[in-house]
């Protein structure tokens, strides 16, 4: 980390960093592996306007952004972005009415639905606003086995019967039109096949093998059915950072949603198929040295969301040198670390970390300090740095 030390010597700790060389390498990996598919950038994993612009410029084929709230979508439109797909159903009237104003002006904004109640609500507001609104149908590709539900609890559309019933009801909505279909294979894209608990590895790998057959079959059948019923759609969205190769081979998919792969957070060390570089993280100052083998950093309790476990803690960038204390972990105001090799880490030094997830790092910091080839080259404001907090 000597190049980081020189680059960031005048930056006050703690701070978040982004390695532009590593980011560029990850972009090249993605450009190569998506093949002929478009990329839709997942904003929840980036949460920085200047970095979203940077990715938009560097990626070969971008279809737009996948956003996570209505108010965030308004914010991105205000900042000049277009072609926005809300990745989740939204029911916030004020922000949705604001989005309808942008649609009237010719902007491309598409709303996610998997339930007629969501669609009817959107339709009533669209009537009131005298605007025709595009929607995307979210298909649930998770699998339910006798003893396990493998995937995420999201869409209510789990089979062709569900889809048929929804489609019949959607056809009656006077101010909505079906613009796209999404089939997100969460159990492939969001679950690493090399979890920390080694006993889980063969179980997950077998479940993922079974899932691929279901994903391929159901998504293709759903898309074919929708096309037969309504004609063409503008896009079919699939995948995520953890399933790029699989989704790129899916003939029905036109675009792949990618977010976390750009930063390659610590959870992505659990994916065997991703040759990515750590591109973002944070830095803490060592302020205590209570024993020969323990140092204490100021701050660090940046725990990722999801099911609670060790893998949701941040990871020291140089994990070969440091380990968390099992009874303390990463703490709210201080983080003790055991030095595995008694290396010469002293009070005043800096220890660099990677967050377990991608975009959640940006909720803790107002800007990302950019380094390239050992030089501090820029700082990119996060949503927080712009005074925004969406979820």
């Amino acid at each position: 980390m000597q190049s980081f030390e020189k680059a960031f010597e005048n930056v006050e700790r703690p701070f978040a960093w982004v390695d532009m060389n590593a980011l560029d390498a990850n972009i090249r990996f993605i450009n190569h592996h998506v093949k002929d598919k478009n990329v839709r950038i997942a904003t929840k994993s980036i949460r920085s306007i200047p970095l979203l612009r940077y990715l938009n410029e560097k990626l070969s084929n971008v279809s737009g952004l996948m956003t996570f709230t209505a108010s965030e979508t308004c914010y991105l439109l205000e900042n000049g972005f277009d072609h926005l797909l809300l990745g989740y159903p939204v029911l916030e009237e004020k922000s949705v009415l604001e989005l309808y104003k942008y649609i009237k002006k010719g902007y491309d904004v598409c709303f996610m639905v998997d339930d007629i109640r969501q669609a009817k609500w959107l339709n009533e507001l669209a009537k009131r606003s005298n605007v025709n609104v595009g929607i995307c149908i979210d298909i649930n590709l998770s699998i339910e086995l006798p003893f396990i539900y493998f995937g995420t609890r999201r869409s209510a559309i789990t089979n062709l019967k569900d889809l048929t019933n929804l489609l019949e009801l959607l056809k009656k909505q006077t101010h909505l039109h079906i613009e796209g279909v999404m089939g997100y294979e969460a159990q492939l894209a969001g679950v690493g096949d090399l979890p920390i608990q080694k006993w889980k590895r063969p179980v997950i790998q077998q479940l993922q093998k079974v899932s691929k057959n279901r994903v391929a079959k159901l998504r293709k059948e759903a898309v074919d059915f929708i096309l037969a019923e309504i004609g063409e759609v503008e896009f079919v969205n699939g995948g995520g950072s953890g399933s790029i190769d699989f989704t790129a081979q899916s003939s029905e998919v036109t675009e792949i949603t990618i977010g976390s792969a750009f930063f390659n957070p610590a959870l992505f060390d659990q994916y065997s198929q991703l040759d990515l570089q750590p591109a973002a993280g944070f830095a803490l100052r060592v302020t205590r040295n209570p024993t020969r083998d323990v140092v204490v950093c100021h701050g660090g309790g940046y725990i990722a969301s999801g099911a609670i476990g060790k893998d949701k803690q941040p990871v020291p960038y140089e994990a070969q040198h440091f380990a968390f204390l099992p009874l303390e972990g990463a703490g709210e105001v201080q983080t003790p670390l055991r030095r595995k090799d008694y290396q010469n880490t002293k009070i005043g030094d800096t220890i660099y970390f990677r967050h377990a997830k991608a975009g959640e790092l940006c909720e803790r910091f107002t800007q990302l300090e950019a380094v390239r080839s050992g030089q501090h080259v820029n700082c990119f404001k996060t949503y927080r740095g712009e005074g925004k907090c969406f979820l």
Side-chain angles (χ1 to χ4, degrees):
M1 304 307 293
Q2 289 183 350
S3 63
F4 277 25
E5 282 297 291
K6 180 172 172 30
F8 298 131
E9 60 184 348
N10 295 318
V11 179
E12 190 165 286
R13 278 69 168 151
F15 66 88
W17 54 268
V18 57
D19 184 338
M20 300 306 291
N21 289 338
L23 179 61
D24 287 348
N26 295 342
I27 293 170
R28 288 192 297 271
F29 176 91
I30 291 161
N31 280 335
H32 175 71
H33 282 263
V34 296
K35 302 189 185 306
D36 62 337
K37 309 298 185 187
N38 292 323
V39 173
R40 191 174 289 272
I41 304 167
T43 62
K44 75 177 181 65
S45 300
I46 308 301
R47 305 193 198 205
S48 167
I49 291 286
L51 274 180
L52 287 171
R53 290 192 176 118
Y54 185 86
L55 294 174
N56 213 35
E57 292 171 1
K58 295 290 183 178
L59 288 163
S60 299
N61 299 297
V62 180
S63 56
L65 305 179
M66 178 178 285
T67 63
F68 57 93
T69 74
S71 56
E72 183 222 9
T73 308
C74 289
Y75 173 62
L76 291 168
L77 289 164
E78 290 166 9
N79 279 275
F81 290 93
D82 198 0
H83 308 295
L84 306 181
L85 169 64
L86 283 97
Y88 311 86
V90 293
L91 295 164
E92 307 308 317
E93 183 170 324
K94 182 180 177 181
S95 293
V96 169
L97 288 174
E98 190 65 27
L99 290 175
Y100 284 3
K101 292 177 184 177
Y102 278 99
I103 294 173
K104 274 190 168 184
K105 294 175 183 176
Y107 286 85
D108 175 23
V109 180
C110 187
F111 293 82
M112 194 68 65
V113 299
D114 65 84
D115 190 299
I116 192 58
R117 290 168 291 186
Q118 303 154 356
K120 283 182 175 179
W121 185 84
L122 290 170
N123 191 64
E124 286 304 311
L125 289 187
K127 273 186 193 177
R128 198 194 312 170
S129 301
N130 191 28
V131 63
N132 194 272
V133 173
I135 58 172
C136 175
I137 300 176
D138 186 357
I139 310 296
N140 190 338
L141 300 180
S142 301
I143 60 173
E144 188 158 15
L145 301 172
F147 300 105
I148 189 170
Y149 181 91
F150 193 46
T152 57
R153 302 280 184 177
R154 37 189 305 138
S155 170
I157 309 303
T158 61
N159 52 55
L160 287 181
K161 181 181 178 183
D162 295 335
L163 179 59
T164 302
N165 294 338
L166 178 63
L167 207 55
E168 288 304 309
L169 294 170
L170 288 176
K171 288 177 183 177
K172 299 175 183 178
Q173 306 309 305
T174 57
H175 287 66
L176 303 181
H177 66 277
I178 298 168
E179 192 172 299
V181 184
M182 182 174 82
Y184 171 51
E185 52 267 51
Q187 67 272 41
L188 304 177
V191 179
D193 58 342
L194 298 174
I196 291 175
Q197 301 93 336
K198 292 185 179 180
W199 67 268
K200 289 184 179 180
R201 294 181 182 182
V203 177
I204 287 175
Q205 289 165 11
Q206 182 59 32
L207 285 170
Q208 288 184 332
K209 183 178 179 180
V210 172
S211 286
K212 286 180 180 179
N213 296 328
R214 170 178 164 77
V215 167
K217 183 174 185 294
L218 179 55
R219 186 166 57 201
K220 181 77 165 58
E221 288 177 349
V223 170
D224 288 345
F225 178 74
I226 290 170
L227 295 179
E229 289 291 312
I230 67 167
E232 293 185 0
V233 293
E234 293 189 22
F235 63 87
V236 176
N237 181 283
S241 293
S243 61
I244 297 172
D245 287 339
F246 170 77
T247 314
Q249 296 170 18
S250 302
S251 60
E252 74 280 3
V253 172
T254 65
E255 62 177 39
I256 303 175
T257 300
I258 297 176
S260 296
F262 297 114
F263 286 169
N264 188 32
L267 276 172
F268 276 67
D269 293 345
Q270 299 177 26
Y271 291 77
S272 62
Q273 302 299 313
L274 294 178
D275 184 18
L276 300 169
Q277 297 184 25
F282 60 92
L284 302 179
R285 181 83 71 190
V286 174
T287 56
R288 286 177 169 167
N289 185 194
T291 64
R292 178 170 174 256
D293 64 336
V294 172
V295 292
V296 181
C297 299
H298 197 183
Y302 313 137
I303 310 302
S305 62
I308 296 171
K310 288 183 179 180
D311 58 352
K312 297 306 189 300
Q313 289 196 115
V315 174
Y317 191 102
E318 296 180 305
Q320 72 274 21
H321 295 313
F322 303 100
F324 289 109
L325 303 186
L327 297 182
E328 296 195 52
E332 181 184 8
V333 289
Q334 68 169 37
T335 296
L337 295 169
R338 187 174 302 282
R339 298 187 298 195
K340 296 180 182 178
D341 50 10
Y342 302 150
Q343 67 165 1
N344 186 28
T345 307
K346 60 186 182 300
I347 288 176
D349 285 352
T350 301
I351 297 180
Y352 294 87
F353 294 80
R354 297 163 61 206
H355 199 275
K357 286 193 170 183
E360 292 179 15
L361 169 71
C362 291
E363 294 297 337
R364 294 289 188 165
F365 295 92
T366 58
Q367 60 191 34
L368 291 156
E369 305 290 344
V371 60
R372 185 185 292 280
S373 303
Q375 299 293 316
H376 185 197
V377 294
N378 210 334
C379 60
F380 301 111
K381 279 192 175 183
T382 63
Y383 286 0
R384 285 286 190 172
E386 301 283 359
K388 302 295 181 182
C389 175
F390 300 109
L391 276 182

